[in-house]
Amino acid sequence: MVPVLIKDLLASAPDGRKVTVCGWVRTVRDSKGLVFIQVNDGSCFANIQLTFDRNNPSNNANVNEIEEELKKLNTGASVRAEGLLIESPASGQAVEVTLESLKCLGQANPDEYPLQKNKMSMEYLRDNAHLRARTNTFGAVYRMRNQMAFAVHSFFQERGFQYINAPEITCSDCEGAGEMFQVTTLSLEKIAEMGVKAGQGGMKIEDAHKIIDYSKDFFGKKASLTVSGQLEAETLATALSRVYTFGPTFRAENSNTPRHLAEFWMIEPEMAFFDLDDDMDIQEDFVKYLLNWALTKCREDLAFFDKRIQPGLIESLEKVAKAKFTRISYTQAIEDLEKAAANGAKFEFKPYWGCDIATEHERYLTEKIYNGPVMVFNYPKEIKSFYMKQNDDGKTVKAVDVLVPGIGELIGGSEREEDYGKLKAEIERRGMDESIYDWYLDLRKFGTVPHSGFGLGFERLLRYVTGMENIRDVIPYPRAPKLADF
Amino acid sequence: MVPVLIKDLLASAPDGRKVTVCGWVRTVRDSKGLVFIQVNDGSCFANIQLTFDRNNPSNNANVNEIEEELKKLNTGASVRAEGLLIESPASGQAVEVTLESLKCLGQANPDEYPLQKNKMSMEYLRDNAHLRARTNTFGAVYRMRNQMAFAVHSFFQERGFQYINAPEITCSDCEGAGEMFQVTTLSLEKIAEMGVKAGQGGMKIEDAHKIIDYSKDFFGKKASLTVSGQLEAETLATALSRVYTFGPTFRAENSNTPRHLAEFWMIEPEMAFFDLDDDMDIQEDFVKYLLNWALTKCREDLAFFDKRIQPGLIESLEKVAKAKFTRISYTQAIEDLEKAAANGAKFEFKPYWGCDIATEHERYLTEKIYNGPVMVFNYPKEIKSFYMKQNDDGKTVKAVDVLVPGIGELIGGSEREEDYGKLKAEIERRGMDESIYDWYLDLRKFGTVPHSGFGLGFERLLRYVTGMENIRDVIPYPRAPKLADF
């Protein structure tokens, strides 16, 4: 029989009806004949309290069984309990359950169970990632993750977008950058063997590459994990009008920082007939929608983050949710930063027109100068991707980044170059392999349309709305250099 | 300015207001001074009709511009048009737009545009997968895909499930089977070179493996793409109670069939405190929910599939949506099949107790014997996975498959073994590497609970609800042996 979730029990009227509670014990307190058991099932932050009054047990209480089972309970043990849902005399909880029967389903030996009550470090919990969802912090993180994911879908579904899936395995490379993971069914061990054999037989080093026959690899050629689904999303936006991806993306970047993951989830909407202004409008709407969703549907978990993880979090999210996003050109942003530097602001990297805006600059703009969310648009084309729409000035492209306090860049987007000739010339100018992009160029060759899109890293969003410091703590099983446990 | 989607225009009252239409031309018909342009934007199956009456143009019509732009229009061209939304005299459409202005945004040269009106084969469209979303069939497929994805999320969100993301890159192997893709940043070319060099230096073949140093690989050990997120989902279900994954999954199986993909999306719910009966209940609810969603929200696209792809589709889906799913044991199923075989049913594989139930058997059960959906439970343990809960008979495990007409197996699930000793013994009995599963065993060591789950291949579901024959045609960019284009 499926039990009612604790979040639903806690929201019920204390009408004295019999209920079943299933979950994991957080604490057991036994004082002067009164026993209190806090049980959590992860459906919400709060525990439900089971009470057993030895001196005045419930009429139908199976006293002997309860006493026997109580001996088995420690933090982490699992229980199935029955009792009556009544008003709680304790403060901070509306209802509690007076025990009628209790069954310990699985014990948790306190000498071995890794999650004891004493303060545990984030590193320690990362090493026990298979159990950390049972803690207050990670229960809250994962519930927020769930809510934010559904908010993403809801936002786009309400606006006539089609959810699409870009491929994970690809033979093209969106950014034209390297740092991709290779995917293969060729045996590395066998390649080594064949190499040794060939070397014994007198093969020259410069011929070693001949040993590798990609026609025998699973896909018949060299394949990698995708770094972005944008180009494929464009193929569907120029048919279905409004689409979005929401799926895993990979970077084999050797960055061991609290901000980088090798595997992360990206949201990449792409909209036909949207220009850069339309793109900025929907980005602003999207961020506000997500924050309002968090502020209304995740109040209990947010309160925890605000209290324990990042004081002031709720206020700062509320402020951005209500703000009008300031829109400034990149040129304006650089002028602002140069002026600030001249007036004594300390930057590790000196700002100048043409530079990439570093996180320190982004945060200075949004936190110090504009004191709120900022959208910076029209970036120098040399620091941006080949597919961005070129402005008439010959120097800038219709790119936009959304900056928010505490994080810096949250979203990056652009209007796409829809002119066949200009896009082709840009691919050539950059020395990219044009043959890989023939299908992408086809979108401009046949029925081309103005279109725009943007990307939001889901884990970056989660860091922002939870206040968690390390990005490895907002995804259940983080992947990073030397880290692929579980 | 963002245009109104055609699906919203078609649902509007023909009140004569001025509207903007953006989309791609399907057909242009020009007869006796009357011009009809069918425009589609992928937001729905239907086109909107633009009309231009040369003899009686709309008062504000920019006649010269319209005539000039009309010359540029062919199938596939993109347009931005303005006009008045009026009642359509034509049958089959409530509204149409009388043109006031017309702009061809992008032409589609009929000598080059791959999608011409004449009948195109599925193979041909697969070769042009970057454009196929512009056809009736694939527009409908992708809209169904979107609707079914959102139905999946809605079903679980309504029931208190948390959406979770299992890792894509893993160093463990859920099924204990092989056939995984290796993920690496080691250079295969370099390994070959090092091999040749070592061979020249006299290394023996049996030492060749020493050349490969996984401590230098990105993750510090050999890594692969996941074949299932179930084990990780279990870690979260035993903390959050009810969770589901919905993400890409990979099999490096060399199967070139209309039923297999190397990259596909899986839905894997996992529920604490659910036994096999609870698991079957929710599976039945889930299938019916998805079919009812399709039948109500995708009516127009379904009508197309019913007419052009699989006659009788709607009726067959309606029947399953209303049916009570028959539940029979594996032993019963085998008896049924043996009896059928004795009475002349022709099977490629003879059914017997202990055999894997093949697709031909599944379809015979659901189509011929029970004439409706069937759930087969309690399978022989030797043909099922190590993690399934063992029945007391010592021979069977609490597995269940859901079979539906036309497809066979749609869902596979089980109650999981929650007993630490039994699970450990089973891992040993199967000769599996226990050290990989220590974290999985921890779930049984600390606060173990009865729990169950199941898996649904999203593309299999889509084949079922669309009637599309080849699974490569229900995902935008299919990956299969020798196939990773775009």
Side-chain angles (χ1 to χ4, degrees), chain B residues 23-319:
Chain B
W24 291 266
V25 171
R26 286 294 172 83
T27 58
V28 184
R29 194 153 50 87
D30 190 337
S31 86
K32 301 178 200 157
L34 260 177
V35 183
F36 300 101
I37 310 167
Q38 298 288 334
V39 178
N40 189 286
D41 71 355
S43 65
C44 60
F45 189 87
N47 306 319
I48 196 161
Q49 180 167 280
L50 311 179
T51 60
F52 175 58
D53 185 346
R54 292 202 168 93
N55 304 317
N56 184 24
S58 178
N59 282 343
N60 295 308
N62 191 337
V63 174
N64 290 343
E65 179 209 65
I66 292 173
E67 290 289 3
E68 275 313 300
E69 295 296 305
L70 272 176
K71 291 176 192 160
K72 303 180 189 164
L73 297 195
N74 288 102
T75 298
S78 50
V79 293
R80 183 186 288 267
E82 288 179 1
L84 307 179
L85 191 69
I86 60 162
E87 197 172 338
S88 178
S91 74
Q93 55 192 23
V95 298
E96 63 180 38
V97 173
T98 70
L99 274 184
E100 292 196 335
S101 81
L102 177 66
K103 175 88 188 139
C104 174
L105 300 172
Q107 294 185 252
N109 182 342
D111 296 332
E112 294 186 72
Y113 186 52
L115 304 186
Q116 296 304 326
K117 257 192 298 179
N118 48 330
K119 184 105 181 133
M120 293 168 286
S121 72
M122 291 294 170
E123 290 73 18
Y124 177 81
L125 289 171
R126 233 171 273 146
D127 289 340
N128 288 282
H130 61 308
L131 298 172
R132 67 179 178 172
R134 301 182 185 188
T135 64
N136 278 336
T137 303
F138 287 93
V141 166
Y142 297 147
R143 281 188 299 275
M144 284 286 279
R145 195 176 163 102
N146 170 64
Q147 284 296 338
M148 288 296 96
F150 196 58
V152 167
H153 285 295
S154 298
F155 177 84
F156 290 116
Q157 294 295 325
E158 288 168 12
R159 282 156 185 79
F161 283 67
Q162 313 284 339
Y163 176 54
I164 58 155
N165 297 122
E168 302 299 327
I169 296 171
T170 176
C171 297
S172 64
D173 172 354
C174 171
E175 301 288 336
E179 309 201 307
M180 296 174 84
F181 289 104
Q182 187 170 354
V183 175
T184 185
T185 52
L186 295 177
S187 162
L188 275 56
E189 289 72 15
K190 204 146 192 179
I191 289 169
E193 261 180 36
M194 287 160 65
V196 170
K197 207 177 213 167
Q200 288 173 350
M203 180 184 265
K204 292 184 199 152
I205 301 272
E206 57 266 37
D207 289 334
H209 64 93
K210 290 180 185 164
I211 289 167
I212 300 159
D213 181 0
Y214 280 119
S215 75
K216 296 211 173 107
D217 204 350
F218 190 89
F219 297 108
K221 50 190 168 180
K222 196 169 179 175
S224 310
L225 289 176
T226 187
V227 295
S228 164
Q230 179 201 313
L231 304 196
E232 288 89 356
E234 286 186 55
T235 67
L236 293 161
T238 51
L240 307 172
S241 289
R242 298 179 198 169
V243 302
Y244 67 109
T245 71
F246 185 4
T249 313
F250 305 86
R251 298 274 159 91
E253 215 177 319
N254 199 6
S255 299
N256 235 323
T257 82
R259 299 179 43 161
H260 291 87
L261 288 170
E263 174 184 321
F264 53 98
W265 284 64
M266 278 279 278
I267 299 143
E268 297 186 288
E270 195 70 33
M271 300 81 68
F273 311 111
F274 275 52
D275 63 19
L276 187 66
D277 286 327
D278 302 325
D279 202 14
M280 289 198 269
D281 288 345
I282 198 166
Q283 289 170 25
E284 182 169 342
D285 288 349
F286 186 45
V287 172
K288 289 176 173 174
Y289 185 97
L290 294 173
L291 298 189
N292 281 319
W293 189 291
L295 288 163
T296 50
K297 308 218 177 185
C298 313
R299 204 70 203 185
E300 200 185 8
D301 292 319
L302 264 187
F304 168 80
F305 292 121
D306 191 80
K307 194 173 164 194
R308 292 295 184 85
I309 303 291
Q310 190 187 104
L313 176 68
I314 291 179
E315 197 191 324
S316 79
L317 297 179
E318 280 173 343
K319 199 176 148 197

Side-chain angles (χ1 to χ4, degrees), chain A residues 3 41 78 130 145-146 157 163 165 168-169 200 203 215 218 235 241-242 263 448 477 479 482, chain B residues 3 41 78 130 145-146 157 163 165 168-169 200 203 215 218 235 241-242 263 442 448 477 479 482:
Chain A
D41 70 355
S78 50
H130 62 307
R145 194 176 163 101
N146 170 64
Q157 293 295 324
Y163 176 55
N165 298 122
E168 302 300 327
I169 296 171
Q200 289 173 350
M203 180 183 266
S215 75
F218 190 89
T235 68
S241 290
R242 300 179 196 168
E263 174 184 320
T448 190
Y477 295 103
R479 268 70 183 109
K482 310 288 172 226
Chain B
D41 71 355
S78 50
H130 61 308
R145 195 176 163 102
N146 170 64
Q157 294 295 325
Y163 176 54
N165 297 122
E168 302 299 327
I169 296 171
Q200 288 173 350
M203 180 184 265
S215 75
F218 190 89
T235 67
S241 289
R242 298 179 198 169
E263 174 184 321
D442 270 1
T448 191
Y477 295 103
R479 269 71 183 108
K482 309 289 173 224

